[in-house]
Amino acid sequence: MVPRADHPISRSSISPNALKVLYRLKDAGYQAFLVGGAVRDLLLGRQPKDFDIGTNAHPEQVRELFRNCRLIGRRFHLAHVRYGQEIIEVATFRAAHTLIDEDNSVDEDSRRVLDNHGRILRDNLYGAIDEDVWRRDFTANALYYNIADFSIWDYVGGVADARARVLKLIGDPETRYREDPVRMLRAIRFAAKLDFTIDPATARPIAKLASMLDGVPAARLFDEVTKLFLSGSALRSFELLREFGLLAHLFPELAGVLSKATDDTAEQLVKLGLSGTDDRIKSDKSVTPAFLFAVLLWPAVSRQAKQFEAMADSPIQALQDAWDTISARAQRRVALPKRFSLSAREVIALQPRFDIRSGRRSLRLLEHPRFRAAYDFLLLRAAAGEVEQSVADWWTEIQVMPAEARAAQVELTGREQQGDAPAAPVRKRRRRSRSRKPRSAPDA
Ligand code: ATP
Ligand code: MG
């Protein structure tokens, strides 16, 4: 136990709503602790993302204390206490029996169910705090801040590890990864986000067990991937995932292209995309899984599109087909919800349209609902050396021009392009019909 005098966590840095919940539980005679990431973050002087609470009150007992409370969860029963936008999660302490039946599968009595690889399927046996601690993942995540006397309860040396910025799994690392392979991704995520090193014993089994990620449901991997890449440490997470051999189990297509690449264009594009995402988060701009997946799948998609081009009606068609092929494969590992997938597809399919910079039709791209995202993607491709910078600059400039200047610009670009290569008759005809248009239909 670390008394209040020996740690820096003050109530003023805890959300007032979390304090309300803690005090009400305590006043009703229950134990009430701030738990998990919030204690760790406060200890490190970071602003916690959310405030989770642990208690010996059962979920039904928690519900009786709060009007604004809902019980949720199938795998874990949890109480959510809602204050406007803020939800305080209250979890009952759970015991960590690792009883496995002789057939290596189910132990109904312990109410904890493991499959035959040692994975936890259900975990609902309530327990005491000194049992709850052992089912947590890393020592720095297993700290309990007691509202009764403001001390930190530390059974596993988590305070020292947090101070030393080292990530250490509780218990035997290999066993803990087998119980839940997602812990390998959590190790990477916390190391990247908190700038921790991974303790050698915790790091060692990852290479051997990486393929266990293949058995994790694709929807859960999507949640984990968004946390890895949309929390401000995407670039570092990416580097660590590669280093530990995990990338190939999340995005096999990407890992394949990167390992076979003869130049660093694809790698540059991904890295610039991820650091751009980190920058946006730092400056409080919005980020979306759609753009992220467009970046992560692009190297494989553009390679596939080149193979499709010979058979396709147009470059746009080839790209759409390539996206459909690659993203269908990627979905089996990491399930990108449809709404994101559709807009990622659009961002990608718009890329060939940036090549058309003559004729008024080219300007219609500016009105496309996905123009902004597609343009950002173009900038990325230019920065990675995949597209001429002058093309990106042309689209940067045209956006800020008044309408008349835009029209003049597309005429000029058209003439320049014709000067480059003598115009084919088809092209001439098209240009003529277009320049007649405004005169023949002035009120259209
Ligand atoms: P963040 O700041 O990213 O939310 P966190 O530490 O709060 O980090 P959560 O995923 O919110 O992480 O989980 C809350 C706590 O629950 C963790 O600190 C950890 O103690 C425990 N936990 C979560 N997931 C697991 C897991 N897969 N295995 C073991 N313990 C876990
Ligand atoms: Mg959390």
Side-chain angles (χ1 to χ4, degrees):
M1 197 198 67
V2 184
R4 173 63 189 96
D6 297 342
H7 69 73
I9 299 181
S10 114
R11 269 163 296 158
S12 64
S13 44
I14 299 173
S15 134
N17 293 324
L19 285 174
K20 247 184 263 176
V21 176
L22 286 165
Y23 279 121
R24 185 156 328 156
L25 285 164
K26 176 180 97 77
D27 293 342
Y30 300 111
Q31 288 182 311
F33 294 81
L34 196 63
V35 298
V39 187
R40 175 201 69 214
D41 288 348
L42 292 172
L43 206 54
L44 295 169
R46 294 171 62 101
Q47 173 66 38
K49 205 173 66 213
D50 39 37
F51 292 87
D52 297 337
I53 288 172
T55 180
N56 57 355
H58 286 195
E60 299 72 29
Q61 295 170 318
V62 176
R63 184 166 51 187
E64 278 163 26
L65 290 177
F66 300 94
R67 262 187 314 113
N68 45 338
C69 176
R70 242 164 37 91
L71 299 191
I72 60 134
R74 208 158 45 95
R75 188 164 168 249
F76 297 100
H77 294 169
L78 297 168
H80 274 181
V81 186
R82 179 186 275 281
Y83 296 93
Q85 288 299 303
E86 189 178 18
I87 290 175
I88 307 294
E89 190 169 285
V90 184
T92 304
F93 298 136
R94 282 171 174 80
H97 293 283
T98 39
L99 297 176
I100 310 176
D101 272 4
E102 295 206 325
D103 69 352
N104 221 15
S105 57
V106 180
D107 177 14
E108 291 292 0
D109 275 348
S110 77
R111 288 168 75 193
R112 180 183 231 218
V113 183
L114 297 126
D115 73 2
N116 53 14
H117 303 287
R119 265 185 320 200
I120 306 169
L121 299 179
R122 191 147 36 88
D123 189 356
N124 253 331
L125 180 70
Y126 302 128
I129 186 168
D130 62 352
E131 297 172 291
D132 187 87
V133 64
W134 304 109
R135 68 175 187 89
R136 297 191 175 266
D137 47 9
F138 302 99
T139 57
N141 283 353
L143 299 171
Y144 300 76
Y145 169 89
N146 187 3
I147 199 63
D149 63 2
F150 318 125
S151 62
I152 297 176
W153 290 17
D154 177 9
Y155 293 89
V156 292
V159 170
D161 288 341
R163 284 188 172 137
R165 303 190 93 83
V166 47
L167 212 54
K168 222 182 262 178
L169 268 174
I170 298 170
D172 171 55
E174 181 163 341
T175 309
R176 302 306 311 280
Y177 290 134
R178 284 186 183 280
E179 283 175 358
D180 182 4
V182 167
R183 287 174 185 149
M184 295 188 275
L185 299 177
R186 290 175 60 84
I188 302 304
R189 172 156 75 88
F190 292 123
K193 173 173 113 161
L194 305 169
D195 195 20
F196 274 30
T197 56
I198 305 179
D199 189 61
T202 293
R204 207 171 298 123
I206 295 181
K208 183 176 101 183
L209 302 178
S211 65
M212 286 195 76
L213 283 181
D214 301 352
V216 176
R220 188 164 178 223
L221 288 184
F222 173 74
D223 291 344
E224 218 41 52
V225 161
T226 53
K227 288 182 194 165
L228 277 159
F229 290 120
L230 300 179
S231 316
S233 324
L235 183 58
R236 185 74 188 124
S237 294
F238 172 75
E239 286 167 344
L240 287 172
L241 287 172
R242 270 185 104 184
E243 187 182 319
F244 281 86
L246 294 169
L247 188 70
H249 295 280
L250 291 177
F251 297 99
E253 318 293 332
L254 173 63
V257 174
L258 292 181
S259 70
K260 280 182 243 127
T262 48
D263 62 45
D264 69 349
T265 315
E267 179 160 343
Q268 280 306 315
L269 181 122
V270 170
K271 286 186 170 172
L272 288 167
L274 296 177
S275 61
T277 305
D278 291 342
D279 291 343
R280 286 184 69 91
I281 288 173
K282 252 178 234 119
S283 44
D284 276 329
K285 291 188 191 151
S286 67
V287 291
T288 156
F291 195 84
L292 172 70
F293 276 71
V295 169
L296 294 174
L297 299 190
W298 173 255
V301 169
S302 64
R303 204 180 57 159
Q304 184 74 68
K306 285 197 193 89
Q307 290 168 16
F308 282 169
E309 248 161 40
M311 310 170 299
D313 295 340
S314 67
I316 293 180
Q317 189 60 51
L319 265 178
Q320 283 177 342
D321 293 348
W323 169 266
D324 292 343
T325 303
I326 298 293
S327 76
R329 267 187 243 156
Q331 295 281 352
R332 282 186 238 136
R333 320 288 9 254
V334 179
L336 177 66
K338 187 100 183 207
R339 63 185 187 283
F340 299 129
S341 173
L342 288 176
S343 69
R345 184 181 194 263
E346 276 188 300
V347 164
I348 280 179
L350 286 176
Q351 295 307 308
R353 286 186 54 184
F354 289 110
D355 292 338
I356 304 165
R357 292 181 304 286
S358 70
R360 288 174 183 244
R361 225 186 105 226
S362 64
L363 293 176
R364 277 194 226 150
L365 184 53
L366 297 168
E367 319 305 329
H368 194 285
R370 292 276 170 250
F371 172 77
R372 187 70 220 182
Y375 164 74
D376 286 342
F377 201 82
L378 174 75
L379 293 186
L380 211 53
R381 293 172 62 216
E386 198 185 287
V387 171
E388 294 282 346
Q389 187 59 44
S390 61
V391 172
D393 292 345
W394 192 94
W395 286 100
T396 304
E397 283 153 24
I398 200 100
Q399 289 174 65
V400 294
M401 286 181 187
E404 275 150 44
R406 281 179 183 176
Q409 180 64 50
V410 292
E411 291 293 325
L412 177 67
T413 308
R415 275 202 299 278
E416 279 170 8
Q417 286 177 351
Q418 272 187 334
D420 285 350
V426 182
R427 188 152 190 188
K428 262 190 181 158
R429 209 165 39 236
R430 267 214 219 120
R431 278 180 48 76
R432 225 179 291 134
S433 71
R434 198 150 301 125
S435 57
R436 254 204 317 265
K437 229 179 192 167
R439 270 176 281 141
S440 58
D443 306 321

